[in-house]
Amino acid sequence: MTSALGVFSLALVVFALAAALSRSRPVPVAAVSGAAVVLSSPGGDAGLRPAPHRGLEQVGRAGAAVLVLGTILLCLAVVARGVAAGRAPWGNMYEFGLTGSAAVAVAFLAYGRGRPTGVLAPWTVTLVLVLLGVSVTSLYTPVDDLVPVLNSRWLVVHVAAAITAGALFTVGALATIAHLVRQRGGGDEDDHFSDLAHTVHLVAFPVWTFAVIAGAVWAENAWGRYWGWDPKETWAFITWVFYAAHLHALSTVGWRRRAGWLALAGFLAFVFNFFGVNLWIPGLHSYAGV
């Protein structure tokens, strides 16, 4: 875990350097690409584009390599926790945060491959570092046996699905924010960020739906009812509604520009379900503690 924190911190520094190098002084297009173009008149900026720094590509590759190394170390930390506990390593908030951080990194690397997602890399690393930092400093729980009600095969199925969906929601939220920022600056309604967010959400939504259904089945086995509007169940359903509305808005004329905000509302509901409900709102799920 300590090694993973150090490597992710290094990755953040490298990606910040890459962002700095990408902010170069504008030069004529002809000087960049060698193409025959008509430049602007003196004092204008048409026909100008940022000149890429010579070392930008190498720094970007170095950042990606460091990110991969940090992800591998973090996955090894998850495995080590599972070996120490002798069970699936997501029986409390610390283990959920640890595994969720690794899932976010893996999801970003998987969906970012072959896509121009370099601008999202530092923000993804920042989120992973924040979640790891909170998990280590405020949520840490020593290895212990599960309470009897959690000692079930549904712990593996239900929580694994929730972690997977949450990681995809996180990547989708970052891509959605980038899309909304570019759109506010006059960008196209559809760009590679919106395409990435749509692809991720199309996978995450059915996974989250399965997590909710699996949780209901587990609730019937543990408490004798499928649904009881426990705070955890309620906010899981609220999250589901927002993402269902998001995907519906994407296919509805006149609602596409609102779809991104619905996705962000769903992500905020998911985050509150993890932190707010677990820490501040008592319910049947409170036995897991932090």
Side-chain angles (χ1 to χ4, degrees):
M1 171 60 73
T2 303
S3 299
L5 282 170
V7 173
F8 273 107
S9 299
L10 177 61
L12 181 58
V13 172
V14 175
F15 284 127
L17 176 61
L21 292 177
S22 66
R23 303 292 294 179
S24 304
R25 185 176 181 178
V27 298
V29 174
V32 176
S33 62
V37 295
V38 178
L39 300 180
S40 63
S41 58
D45 59 0
L48 301 180
R49 59 176 292 186
H53 192 278
R54 292 181 179 180
L56 178 59
E57 184 176 353
Q58 289 79 1
V59 173
R61 290 179 178 176
V66 175
L67 178 56
V68 170
L69 176 59
T71 303
I72 293 173
L73 290 172
L74 188 53
C75 290
L76 290 176
V78 173
V79 173
R81 177 73 178 197
V83 172
R87 54 172 171 77
W90 42 76
N92 50 58
M93 286 187 68
Y94 167 70
E95 294 174 355
F96 191 98
L98 176 64
T99 309
S101 300
V104 169
V106 170
F108 177 76
L109 289 173
Y111 279 89
R113 186 177 180 83
R115 292 186 173 94
T117 57
V119 68
L120 299 182
W123 300 104
T124 303
V125 174
T126 299
L127 274 180
V128 170
L129 281 172
V130 169
L131 183 53
L132 285 178
V134 171
S135 299
V136 171
T137 59
S138 301
L139 303 178
Y140 178 76
T141 302
V143 173
D144 198 1
D145 294 331
L146 293 172
V147 295
V149 72
L150 284 179
N151 192 13
S152 168
R153 70 186 66 180
W154 287 105
L155 174 69
V156 178
V157 177
H158 168 64
V159 181
I163 290 174
T164 302
L168 295 174
F169 285 153
T170 302
V171 175
L174 290 172
T176 298
I177 292 172
H179 167 66
L180 291 175
V181 169
R182 292 189 63 176
Q183 191 178 62
R184 190 174 182 83
D188 296 334
E189 184 173 342
D190 294 314
D191 55 21
H192 58 273
F193 290 123
S194 64
D195 291 340
L196 173 62
H198 191 192
T199 301
V200 170
H201 290 148
L202 283 175
V203 177
F205 181 69
V207 175
W208 183 253
T209 302
F210 173 77
V212 173
I213 294 173
V217 175
W218 189 8
E220 196 279 331
N221 290 336
W223 303 318
R225 91 293 188 276
Y226 289 99
W227 195 267
W229 296 105
D230 180 76
K232 198 79 170 175
E233 299 168 347
T234 301
W235 279 95
F237 178 67
I238 291 173
T239 301
W240 185 91
V241 169
F242 274 123
Y243 277 106
H246 162 71
L247 292 176
H248 180 70
L250 286 175
S251 59
T252 303
V253 177
W255 279 83
R256 290 183 61 84
R257 297 185 68 87
R258 300 178 179 88
W261 297 105
L262 289 170
L264 291 183
F267 179 70
L268 291 176
F270 170 81
V271 172
F272 181 78
N273 194 21
F274 176 56
F275 286 104
V277 174
N278 283 350
L279 297 176
W280 303 318
I281 304 178
L284 290 175
H285 291 77
S286 300
Y287 51 72
V290 297

